[in-house]
Amino acid sequence: MADPWCCALGAQNALMDATLQGNAQVPGLPISNLQTDQGAPSTAWRVAGTEAYLIARLPRPATCRGFSFHRTNLTAQARYSLVARLGEALVVVTGGQTTDTVGGQFLVVFPNEVAIDRLDISISDPGNPDGFLSFPLAYLGPLWQPERNMSWEGNESRQATIDETTSLSGVEYPTLRYRQRVLSIDHQSLGADELPKIRAIESTAATGRNILFVPDLSADDRNSAMIFGRLTPGDISCPAGAADRRATTMTMKERL
């Protein structure tokens, strides 16, 4: 198994084919919205109040290593309890832990990769000032880690769309439409035997599905550092000549 501090990619979202159940939802914002790839609040699952629960029943057992929410309105003090099952067996149980939500997202990493066919998670956020809980995007599935870590020569940026109006006297009136995080990933030391996994992830990305990328699976800041969205692959090259090493780049863009 790769070192826990290696980067991780998640591309097989088991929630997309699951039967979902939750507590009372706001009209027009049903729980089935979690099975779309758009992350706007207008296409979210929304629950009135400050308590929510989600039950996901998978059509068949799936190998999973983590669960995450993205673009939520949860506060950092929100708490969660999670139970993952395979049949009647409890395979993952966490209770009453703080989400430490940052930038609308938090990730639960299971102790090991496990096969499950049901996941239950409950959320409590009594300090949320909005009067409702919003969950636009979620991921449940494997978190693949390459044998060797990525290079840290990549970069992070934010793309912003701003409408500019300028008066005759030169006074500017900017209107921010949105800001979007973008990560450039550079991996210079893949093994040739890892290329099928890279190609499979790229194939999923080509369908428009969101991909989860975590730069460091064990980092304290992983909730703020991870990104869930569109992946655009670069070329695969052979930087070490005849040696068993491959390199590739990827661009990750946060899904709005």
Side-chain angles (χ1 to χ4, degrees):
M1 179 180 291
D3 292 315
W5 44 264
C6 278
C7 64
L9 286 153
Q12 297 166 270
N13 194 346
L15 290 179
M16 290 302 192
D17 299 319
T19 299
L20 304 181
Q21 177 185 346
N23 50 324
Q25 55 218 359
V26 172
L29 297 171
I31 196 169
S32 59
N33 281 354
L34 284 177
Q35 294 172 318
T36 66
D37 287 300
Q38 283 67 47
S42 60
T43 58
W45 168 44
R46 182 178 294 186
V47 177
T50 59
E51 307 280 338
Y53 73 84
L54 165 68
I55 300 173
R57 295 180 174 87
L58 311 186
R60 64 194 67 83
T63 300
C64 299
R65 181 75 194 285
F67 174 87
S68 59
F69 276 125
H70 303 269
R71 299 191 60 76
T72 76
N73 69 332
L74 295 177
T75 69
Q77 290 72 42
R79 304 184 75 84
Y80 75 92
S81 294
L82 181 148
V83 177
R85 296 178 170 87
L86 180 61
E88 297 301 318
L90 303 180
V91 293
V92 179
V93 179
T94 67
Q97 300 189 37
T98 304
T99 63
D100 295 322
T101 303
V102 181
Q105 55 186 13
F106 77 92
L107 170 67
V108 183
V109 179
F110 303 161
N112 300 289
E113 194 171 68
V114 293
I116 70 172
D117 58 13
R118 172 173 167 169
L119 180 133
D120 298 42
I121 184 168
S122 60
I123 303 288
S124 177
D125 194 8
N128 195 302
D130 293 335
F132 61 86
L133 301 182
S134 177
F135 304 96
L137 295 169
Y139 176 81
L140 171 65
L143 295 171
W144 175 74
Q145 294 179 272
E147 185 177 345
R148 291 167 293 276
N149 202 16
M150 66 177 188
S151 163
W152 290 101
E153 293 183 3
N155 57 71
E156 177 178 345
S157 62
R158 288 183 180 269
Q159 295 182 354
T161 294
I162 301 173
D163 292 343
E164 298 275 2
T165 301
T166 305
S167 71
L168 293 177
S169 62
V171 178
E172 297 175 343
Y173 299 92
T175 301
L176 176 65
R177 294 301 182 185
Y178 63 85
R179 296 180 72 202
Q180 191 170 33
R181 292 173 58 219
V182 180
L183 289 182
S184 296
I185 305 161
D186 184 2
H187 202 303
Q188 301 174 3
S189 191
L190 292 165
D193 60 335
E194 295 179 297
L195 294 184
K197 178 63 71 172
I198 291 294
R199 293 179 182 125
I201 292 170
E202 292 176 352
S203 294
T204 300
T207 68
R209 282 288 165 88
N210 294 320
I211 306 297
L212 177 62
F213 177 73
V214 189
D216 183 341
L217 205 57
S218 65
D220 292 337
D221 67 343
R222 71 186 181 199
N223 284 349
S224 61
M226 67 179 175
I227 191 167
F228 189 55
R230 302 285 302 278
L231 180 150
T232 302
D235 294 337
I236 296 174
S237 60
C238 302
D244 178 18
R245 291 292 186 272
R246 301 293 187 271
T248 192
T249 58
M250 303 175 184
T251 300
M252 289 286 305
K253 184 179 292 187
E254 180 183 27
R255 197 63 175 263
L256 301 180

